[in-house]
Amino acid sequence: MADVTVTYDKTGDAAYVYFERPQARAQSTRMYPCDPVEVGGMINLDFDEQGRLIGIEVLAASSKLPKYLLESAERLDTEGT
């Protein structure tokens, strides 16, 4: 199974999906913002220096991601601790 980590901040309603192991978090050297009008919120794709997709930032996450994913995500706010 793939090693994917999801973090979620309910206060900011922002999630991040990591495609790298969290402890090896690669530096994003390029970010591609998806059109907020087309998706009804902001989604950013982060790429490393080799052009590999390393993560996805999702703003307005509660309206874009499945509830089960947000419930199982590592919480970055105090409500989830």
Side-chain angles (χ1 to χ4, degrees):
M1 178 165 245
D3 204 10
V4 175
T5 301
V6 179
T7 60
Y8 179 56
D9 179 346
K10 187 174 183 177
T11 304
D13 197 17
Y16 198 90
V17 181
Y18 293 90
F19 298 126
E20 295 282 327
R21 290 188 181 111
Q23 61 273 22
R25 293 189 182 170
Q27 283 287 76
S28 174
T29 58
R30 188 173 64 126
M31 186 267 298
Y32 176 79
C34 294
D35 187 345
V37 174
E38 290 292 319
V39 298
M42 181 58 78
I43 298 174
N44 298 313
L45 306 177
D46 288 335
F47 296 88
D48 68 9
E49 63 268 353
Q50 283 85 36
R52 292 179 298 218
L53 182 63
I54 59 171
I56 301 172
E57 178 185 37
V58 181
L59 305 178
S62 62
S63 67
K64 301 291 168 246
L65 296 174
K67 185 177 179 179
Y68 79 88
L69 187 63
L70 297 178
E71 288 174 348
S72 64
E74 175 187 333
R75 293 294 292 268
L76 300 177
D77 55 26
T78 55
E79 285 185 43
T81 59

